[in-house]
Amino acid sequence: MTPQPSDQSGFPAQQQEPPGLTEPMTPEPDHGERSYVGSGKLTGRRALITGGDSGIGRAVAIAFAREGADVAISYLPDEQTDAETTERWVSEAGRRCVLVPGDITDESTARQTVRTAASELGGLDVLVNNAGFQMARRKSIADITSDDLDQVFKTNLYALFWITQEALEHMDSGGAIINNSSIQAYEPSNTLLDYAATKAAINNFTVNLAAEVGERGIRVNAVAPGPIWTPLQPATQYEEKIERFGGDTPLGRAGQPAEVAPAFVFLASQVTASYVSGTVLGVTGGKPVF
Ligand code: NAD
Ligand code: MG
């Protein structure tokens, strides 16, 4: 169903603890289960999607599978139920879904995640660095502890480096890497000082790595979503923020994961994006990404 502005600006107040799950959310997000129609844009491709259990990652897994790709999804062990739901949708599309649980803030786990995905899928053509963490329940830079910094920087940046290094060992010409950035790279919120900095770094990394691996025929791009209704939000925002979530965008509402996934399909596909590399595609409900 196409989301309507009138029913999507803000959500009922609700809170979860990280990492957050899909089922307790009101309303449940739309991952394109009933709407996404594939047209062979990723036939035979093999993709690793980190954080593919829920939110944007689940919508990407469903869209990739309906475009003909086999996928591996990584996630935290506490998210097993969400991962199994994604697996069911991928299987219904007639594609394989390899489940790779593990905490990617640990280097050996992050590297092993890629090795498992590549060996189970028989290779790797597409990497979606989608896993990410933020904590917005704080008021000032003074509230950010070293443990907070470790979690945000290790999830959003260290793991991205480790997983990308390992994935490049398996990728050939035609391969594609897509990083999940954020509007926070351009319009940072002061409650997300550390997270916003990682997203700006991801944009810089995207352009720089694209220059390095271009000669191998590998493309590197990013998607910068605006406010999207996923478990990350009730798990990391104050309840009252949820009631206004997305209302400050030009379109006046939050987006659904299903509205972000097509940008990943576009960038992953050699049919649609064979000459697109080193760019950041905004899916922000109208907020500028420059
Ligand atoms: P989500 O909670 O559904 O997905 C994030 C996933 O990251 C989790 O499901 C989890 O599996 C994974 N993850 C987090 N820490 C991990 C760890 N230590 N080890 C392994 N996996 C870990 O939320 P989402 O909003 O779909 O987030 C996906 C990406 O989108 C993130 O990079 C986020 O920064 C980005 N993003 C989200 C929004 C938004 O408004 N929801 C906006 C811009 C960017
Ligand atoms: Mg999750």
Side-chain angles (χ1 to χ4, degrees):
M1 205 201 306
T2 308
Q4 295 302 314
S6 56
D7 61 18
Q8 301 259 330
S9 59
F11 299 91
Q14 56 199 284
Q15 198 159 308
Q16 297 188 43
E17 290 314 305
L21 292 173
T22 308
E23 196 266 340
M25 293 175 73
T26 312
E28 277 203 29
D30 176 2
H31 309 93
E33 293 91 339
R34 276 163 289 281
S35 55
Y36 193 89
V37 180
S39 59
K41 288 196 275 294
L42 296 172
T43 303
R45 303 271 270 178
R46 298 152 300 185
L48 169 61
I49 305 162
T50 65
D53 58 300
S54 60
I56 297 167
R58 180 187 290 178
V60 171
I62 291 172
F64 276 20
R66 291 186 188 176
E67 294 290 355
D70 288 330
V71 303
I73 60 171
S74 90
Y75 54 92
L76 286 162
D78 284 352
E79 300 173 303
Q80 185 66 26
T81 53
D82 265 351
E84 286 172 7
T85 302
T86 301
E87 180 187 31
R88 272 199 302 280
W89 285 110
V90 170
S91 301
E92 264 187 40
R95 308 308 310 187
R96 279 196 68 200
C97 185
V98 177
L99 300 184
V100 197
D103 184 343
I104 59 171
T105 62
D106 174 67
E107 179 174 356
S108 62
T109 305
R111 293 189 184 280
Q112 188 56 47
T113 295
V114 181
R115 289 192 210 111
T116 303
S119 79
E120 292 282 323
L121 295 174
L124 201 59
D125 307 294
V126 180
L127 168 64
V128 179
N129 280 314
N130 166 73
F133 185 70
Q134 65 174 32
M135 179 42 72
R137 290 179 201 144
R138 55 195 179 201
K139 310 242 181 293
S140 152
I141 185 172
D143 300 331
I144 302 175
T145 66
S146 291
D147 283 348
D148 293 335
L149 278 181
D150 274 346
Q151 197 180 352
V152 170
F153 279 76
K154 285 196 169 169
T155 310
N156 299 5
L157 284 178
Y158 280 63
L160 179 118
F161 271 83
W162 294 325
I163 287 170
T164 302
Q165 283 175 337
E166 209 64 45
L168 282 168
E169 298 290 313
H170 300 276
M171 279 189 177
D172 294 321
S173 181
I177 297 171
I178 308 156
N179 303 318
N180 205 334
S181 178
S182 172
I183 185 63
Q184 289 291 324
Y186 305 89
E187 190 184 85
S189 305
N190 60 359
T191 53
L192 291 171
L193 205 62
D194 48 355
Y195 172 87
T198 68
K199 295 300 182 177
I202 287 170
N203 285 355
N204 184 285
F205 171 90
T206 298
V207 175
N208 207 350
L209 185 67
E212 178 182 330
V213 300
E215 65 183 14
R216 290 174 53 185
I218 296 171
R219 300 178 297 102
V220 187
N221 293 288
V223 175
I228 308 300
W229 185 233
T230 71
L232 187 67
Q233 299 304 336
T236 65
Q237 300 271 12
Y238 289 117
E239 277 192 298
E240 57 272 22
K241 282 268 189 76
I242 296 295
E243 291 184 295
R244 301 189 301 273
F245 186 60
D248 64 342
T249 59
L251 287 178
R253 62 173 177 86
Q256 292 291 335
E259 297 179 282
V260 188
F264 285 86
V265 171
F266 166 73
L267 292 170
S269 173
Q270 285 296 92
V271 179
T272 50
S274 58
Y275 200 58
V276 181
S277 193
T279 201
V280 183
L281 177 50
V283 185
T284 61
K287 291 195 174 206
V289 286
F290 51 78

